[in-house]
PDB file of all heavy atoms in Angstrom:
ATOM      1  N   ARG A 666     117.029 125.696  65.596  1.00 48.00           N
ATOM      2  CA  ARG A 666     118.424 125.845  65.198  1.00 48.00           C
ATOM      3  C   ARG A 666     118.741 127.300  64.880  1.00 48.00           C
ATOM      4  O   ARG A 666     119.790 127.806  65.232  1.00 48.00           O
ATOM      5  CB  ARG A 666     118.748 124.929  64.020  1.00 48.00           C
ATOM      6  CG  ARG A 666     119.484 123.700  64.494  1.00 48.00           C
ATOM      7  CD  ARG A 666     119.744 122.719  63.390  1.00 48.00           C
ATOM      8  NE  ARG A 666     119.338 121.414  63.847  1.00 48.00           N
ATOM      9  CZ  ARG A 666     118.323 120.734  63.343  1.00 48.00           C
ATOM     10  NH1 ARG A 666     117.628 121.220  62.349  1.00 48.00           N
ATOM     11  NH2 ARG A 666     118.021 119.564  63.830  1.00 48.00           N
ATOM     12  N   THR A 668     117.089 130.053  65.968  1.00 45.00           N
ATOM     13  CA  THR A 668     116.974 131.011  67.062  1.00 45.00           C
ATOM     14  C   THR A 668     117.604 130.499  68.351  1.00 45.00           C
ATOM     15  O   THR A 668     118.060 131.287  69.159  1.00 45.00           O
ATOM     16  CB  THR A 668     115.490 131.304  67.361  1.00 45.00           C
ATOM     17  OG1 THR A 668     114.877 130.084  67.745  1.00 45.00           O
ATOM     18  CG2 THR A 668     114.795 131.893  66.181  1.00 45.00           C
ATOM     19  N   GLY A 669     117.599 129.188  68.528  1.00 51.00           N
ATOM     20  CA  GLY A 669     117.903 128.662  69.849  1.00 51.00           C
ATOM     21  C   GLY A 669     119.310 128.151  70.046  1.00 51.00           C
ATOM     22  O   GLY A 669     120.017 128.593  70.947  1.00 51.00           O
ATOM     23  N   ASP A 670     119.710 127.241  69.173  1.00 67.00           N
ATOM     24  CA  ASP A 670     120.891 126.448  69.450  1.00 67.00           C
ATOM     25  C   ASP A 670     122.106 127.265  69.861  1.00 67.00           C
ATOM     26  O   ASP A 670     122.688 127.038  70.899  1.00 67.00           O
ATOM     27  CB  ASP A 670     121.248 125.633  68.204  1.00 67.00           C
ATOM     28  CG  ASP A 670     121.310 124.155  68.548  1.00 67.00           C
ATOM     29  OD1 ASP A 670     120.970 123.833  69.697  1.00 67.00           O
ATOM     30  OD2 ASP A 670     121.700 123.374  67.677  1.00 67.00           O
ATOM     31  N   GLU A 671     122.419 128.241  69.034  1.00 85.00           N
ATOM     32  CA  GLU A 671     123.643 128.990  69.251  1.00 85.00           C
ATOM     33  C   GLU A 671     123.555 129.778  70.556  1.00 85.00           C
ATOM     34  O   GLU A 671     124.439 129.712  71.408  1.00 85.00           O
ATOM     35  CB  GLU A 671     123.846 129.949  68.065  1.00 85.00           C
ATOM     36  CG  GLU A 671     125.125 130.708  68.146  1.00 85.00           C
ATOM     37  CD  GLU A 671     125.025 132.061  67.460  1.00 85.00           C
ATOM     38  OE1 GLU A 671     123.950 132.385  66.898  1.00 85.00           O
ATOM     39  OE2 GLU A 671     126.005 132.802  67.494  1.00 85.00           O
ATOM     40  N   LEU A 672     122.448 130.473  70.712  1.00 90.00           N
ATOM     41  CA  LEU A 672     122.277 131.307  71.894  1.00 90.00           C
ATOM     42  C   LEU A 672     122.212 130.444  73.152  1.00 90.00           C
ATOM     43  O   LEU A 672     122.792 130.784  74.186  1.00 90.00           O
ATOM     44  CB  LEU A 672     120.997 132.139  71.742  1.00 90.00           C
ATOM     45  CG  LEU A 672     120.753 133.202  72.798  1.00 90.00           C
ATOM     46  CD1 LEU A 672     121.903 134.186  72.867  1.00 90.00           C
ATOM     47  CD2 LEU A 672     119.436 133.914  72.515  1.00 90.00           C
ATOM     48  N   ALA A 673     121.516 129.304  73.049  1.00 91.00           N
ATOM     49  CA  ALA A 673     121.432 128.396  74.196  1.00 91.00           C
ATOM     50  C   ALA A 673     122.825 127.945  74.608  1.00 91.00           C
ATOM     51  O   ALA A 673     123.143 127.878  75.802  1.00 91.00           O
ATOM     52  CB  ALA A 673     120.562 127.184  73.851  1.00 91.00           C
ATOM     53  N   GLY A 674     123.662 127.667  73.628  1.00 90.00           N
ATOM     54  CA  GLY A 674     125.034 127.260  73.928  1.00 90.00           C
ATOM     55  C   GLY A 674     125.817 128.374  74.600  1.00 90.00           C
ATOM     56  O   GLY A 674     126.587 128.127  75.534  1.00 90.00           O
ATOM     57  N   LEU A 675     125.567 129.624  74.144  1.00 92.00           N
ATOM     58  CA  LEU A 675     126.293 130.760  74.720  1.00 92.00           C
ATOM     59  C   LEU A 675     125.915 131.000  76.178  1.00 92.00           C
ATOM     60  O   LEU A 675     126.737 131.431  76.978  1.00 92.00           O
ATOM     61  CB  LEU A 675     126.037 132.026  73.893  1.00 92.00           C
ATOM     62  CG  LEU A 675     126.560 131.972  72.448  1.00 92.00           C
ATOM     63  CD1 LEU A 675     126.214 133.255  71.708  1.00 92.00           C
ATOM     64  CD2 LEU A 675     128.066 131.716  72.413  1.00 92.00           C
ATOM     65  N   LEU A 676     124.634 130.685  76.515  1.00 93.00           N
ATOM     66  CA  LEU A 676     124.208 130.828  77.917  1.00 93.00           C
ATOM     67  C   LEU A 676     125.103 130.006  78.839  1.00 93.00           C
ATOM     68  O   LEU A 676     125.398 130.404  79.963  1.00 93.00           O
ATOM     69  CB  LEU A 676     122.756 130.351  78.082  1.00 93.00           C
ATOM     70  CG  LEU A 676     121.651 131.338  77.731  1.00 93.00           C
ATOM     71  CD1 LEU A 676     120.305 130.622  77.752  1.00 93.00           C
ATOM     72  CD2 LEU A 676     121.655 132.505  78.703  1.00 93.00           C
ATOM     73  N   LEU A 725     129.215 138.307  72.843  1.00 90.00           N
ATOM     74  CA  LEU A 725     129.434 137.004  72.213  1.00 90.00           C
ATOM     75  C   LEU A 725     128.662 136.861  70.908  1.00 90.00           C
ATOM     76  O   LEU A 725     129.055 136.101  70.017  1.00 90.00           O
ATOM     77  CB  LEU A 725     129.021 135.878  73.173  1.00 90.00           C
ATOM     78  CG  LEU A 725     129.920 135.665  74.394  1.00 90.00           C
ATOM     79  CD1 LEU A 725     129.215 134.818  75.447  1.00 90.00           C
ATOM     80  CD2 LEU A 725     131.238 134.998  73.981  1.00 90.00           C
ATOM     81  N   THR A 726     127.510 137.568  70.798  1.00 86.00           N
ATOM     82  CA  THR A 726     126.685 137.396  69.591  1.00 86.00           C
ATOM     83  C   THR A 726     126.967 138.459  68.537  1.00 86.00           C
ATOM     84  O   THR A 726     126.519 138.331  67.413  1.00 86.00           O
ATOM     85  CB  THR A 726     125.178 137.455  69.929  1.00 86.00           C
ATOM     86  OG1 THR A 726     124.939 138.604  70.737  1.00 86.00           O
ATOM     87  CG2 THR A 726     124.717 136.217  70.649  1.00 86.00           C
TER      88      THR A 726
ATOM     89  N   ARG B1431     115.223 136.772  71.201  1.00 92.00           N
ATOM     90  CA  ARG B1431     115.780 135.423  71.016  1.00 92.00           C
ATOM     91  C   ARG B1431     115.815 134.660  72.338  1.00 92.00           C
ATOM     92  O   ARG B1431     115.569 133.451  72.363  1.00 92.00           O
ATOM     93  CB  ARG B1431     117.185 135.506  70.413  1.00 92.00           C
ATOM     94  CG  ARG B1431     117.170 135.855  68.920  1.00 92.00           C
ATOM     95  CD  ARG B1431     118.569 136.096  68.417  1.00 92.00           C
ATOM     96  NE  ARG B1431     119.335 134.860  68.357  1.00 92.00           N
ATOM     97  CZ  ARG B1431     120.672 134.840  68.275  1.00 92.00           C
ATOM     98  NH1 ARG B1431     121.358 135.966  68.270  1.00 92.00           N
ATOM     99  NH2 ARG B1431     121.299 133.684  68.205  1.00 92.00           N
TER     100      ARG B1431
END
Side-chain angles (χ1 to χ4, degrees):
Chain A
R666 259 176 229 113
T668 61
D670 236 6
E671 184 209 359
L672 188 58
L675 296 178
L676 277 171
L725 290 164
T726 49
Chain B
R1431 285 173 71 197

